Amino acid sequence: MSLISCRNLKVGYYGKPILSDVNLDINSGEFICIIGDNGSGKSTLIKTMLRLAQPLGGKIVYDSSLKKTSVGYLPQEIKAKSDFPATVFEVVISGCINRLGIRASYNKEERAIAMRYIKTLEIEDIIHKSFRELSGGERQRTLLARALCSSEKVLFLDEPFNALDIHVTNHLYHTLAKINSEYGVTIVMISHDVETALKHVNKVVYVDGTVKFVGTPCEYKKLGGQNNELAN
Amino acid sequence: MNWLTDISNIIKFMPEAIIAGVLLSVSASMVGVILVLKRFSMIGDGLSHVGFGAFSLALAANTFLDAHLNVSIDKTGWEYLVAIPLVIIVAYILLRLGESKKIKGDASIALIASSALAIGYLAINLTGGTSADISKYMFGSITTVTTTQMYICCGVAAVVIGLFLCFSNHIFAVTFDESFAKAIGLHTKTFNTILSILTAVIIVFGMRIMGTLLISSIIIFPALTSMKLFNNFKKVVWSSAIISALCFIIAFFAFYQYSSAASIVIVNLIAFIIATIVGKIIRRFSKK
Ligand SMILES: Nc1ncnc2c1ncn2[C@@H]1O[C@H](COP(=O)(O)OP(=O)(O)O)[C@@H](O)[C@H]1O
Ligand SMILES: [Mg+2]
């Protein structure tokens, strides 16, 4: 079942397309990695699918089961402001905001969800710490925990492994693989580290002006052996 | 006790001013936390200049109509009917501009502010207005707050406090990371619309007390002061409300015979300096 389906989609800013003729299906249960050069429009493609940017042409069809409140998102960079007064716990649980409706405060269940992902990402020790005092890696794990809180169905991660060391990256990959296979969360991820990504994902999308390749990591590797452009 | 009788006299003769001032300080500082964190500290300044322009135009039109038409209509408060919609529109545009990367938010605020000021000033001059008219809007005058204005301040404060009581988690999520909030399904547009309306109303009525030149200080100062002391969003919001109210009361009673707006700014400045020092000390001890 295809959750999100891009048909002849054109994405870009101010009328200038960056990617055109994008035909891409995000199917339920997939673990996708989008790869491509810097500035090739990977983030823009994700933002368009999240309705944060207007498509310049074509359309995106969303499955009727997919509510806006069933996606999680880890932005590539967050504008927050190095002086924002917020504790790690406040930031993580704000991922549950789409479950809140018009209730004033989080209930037990939502707190439990937040605590679960705080444990998963091993940030229990710093939940009362101020977000503005965190290191790059701690920040990234906090924001990832927030993204996990908000997702029941689809998780969009824009370069989640930035600023993370190998140990945490590997641990995170296993966590992602687990929530993908056990909880059936569909994951769409952007990563620069193609090599590591190929070991864990089950679908690779290569973009350069348009979608140049879609397939399994195996197929990608085979093609990459023959094709230098794709090997980069 | 001389000063005690002084204080009770002030309370007796100017209850409207005190109530309106406290409530406005509280609302301005709470909305101010959002504005400061969204990097819109200067919006208060820009909008008050637009408010000044609108008031001046209304005043000029008034003088013009009186001189050239022999109709006398009741025009009480009509300058607010001109100023509020105009300032709301400009507030909305400025908050939207901040999202786009193409036009710099701070530059557009400066542009709009100086244009509005120039237009207003010219309009008053052309219709033979006096410098007293200008000074009234520039520096404000708390002692002339009317009962109607006091009720409006009550309404605004009720809305602001109510919104923070019911939706502080939503407000946190949108202020902290708007695109995340939007992506996971929050109505960020509604949020921004409410924010611009509240900001506009607070500024237009706040100008009565603080004047065009100093109104942005009661929006910014308490937020910055409490950010020195706390690193939790809710604590920052509520403490800045309390700090703002206290600063107003201290300034009002200690310096009532001087310019109220200027003394409010000075008291806020002193609070900020104290908070900076206390914040440093707290941090040093908590590190150990
Ligand atoms: N908000 C924006 N407004 C205008 N242009 C943008 C904006 N964001 C990104 N771009 C431009 O779009 C292009 C693609 O950016 P992006 O999608 O971030 O690339 P990637 O994530 O693949 O590195 C870049 O040339 C970038 O400068
Ligand atoms: Mg990117």
Side-chain angles (χ1 to χ4, degrees), chain A residues 51-222:
Chain A
R51 293 179 252 223
L52 294 175
Q54 289 287 325
L56 300 179
K59 64 176 179 180
I60 308 175
V61 182
Y62 299 91
D63 186 74
S64 56
S65 71
L66 192 68
K67 283 174 295 178
K68 240 186 169 183
T69 50
S70 41
V71 298
Y73 174 44
L74 177 79
Q76 180 168 14
E77 54 191 29
I78 99 164
K79 279 187 221 143
K81 333 142 204 204
S82 51
D83 60 351
F84 203 104
T87 60
V88 169
F89 188 74
E90 272 185 303
V91 174
V92 173
I93 203 167
S94 76
C96 290
I97 195 74
N98 56 359
R99 301 166 199 258
L100 204 57
I102 54 163
R103 257 184 300 131
S105 51
Y106 298 106
N107 62 23
K108 240 186 199 163
E109 195 187 325
E110 284 143 6
R111 285 170 182 279
I113 293 171
M115 281 317 293
R116 185 167 86 217
Y117 292 122
I118 282 171
K119 288 212 181 83
T120 308
L121 290 160
E122 297 175 346
I123 46 176
E124 301 108 301
D125 296 343
I126 54 165
I127 55 171
H128 298 297
K129 227 177 161 181
S130 171
F131 185 76
R132 53 189 169 188
E133 287 162 6
L134 301 184
S135 72
E138 290 170 331
R139 240 168 215 250
Q140 199 70 354
R141 279 186 280 168
T142 304
L143 294 176
L144 198 56
R146 178 185 69 162
L148 286 165
C149 280
S150 62
S151 75
E152 293 155 341
K153 277 208 146 136
V154 190
L155 195 54
F156 286 91
L157 310 173
D158 199 339
E159 309 208 6
F161 308 113
N162 262 355
L164 298 187
D165 59 38
I166 301 174
H167 163 73
V168 184
T169 302
N170 280 334
H171 182 73
L172 217 57
Y173 261 120
H174 284 117
T175 312
L176 291 177
K178 198 173 134 190
I179 64 164
N180 173 246
S181 57
E182 281 180 25
Y183 306 132
V185 177
T186 308
I187 301 175
V188 183
M189 169 184 97
I190 293 174
S191 179
H192 265 128
D193 185 2
V194 180
E195 201 127 312
T196 320
L198 288 180
K199 285 185 210 148
H200 297 91
V201 301
N202 51 38
K203 183 167 164 181
V204 179
V205 176
Y206 174 76
V207 295
D208 180 18
T210 179
V211 172
K212 283 261 173 78
F213 172 86
V214 182
T216 63
C218 259
E219 289 166 347
Y220 178 79
K221 270 187 222 157
K222 253 185 242 157

Side-chain angles (χ1 to χ4, degrees), chain B residues 51-69 75 78-79 82 116-130 133-134 136-137:
Chain B
F52 174 82
F55 278 146
S56 306
L57 281 181
L59 195 74
N62 213 353
T63 328
F64 184 82
L65 289 180
D66 278 350
H68 295 269
L69 294 170
K75 290 186 288 267
W78 85 301
E79 71 264 35
V82 178
L117 197 64
I119 292 170
Y121 190 69
L122 208 64
I124 288 194
N125 270 333
L126 284 178
T127 50
T130 61
D133 295 327
I134 294 175
K136 184 171 124 200
Y137 293 124

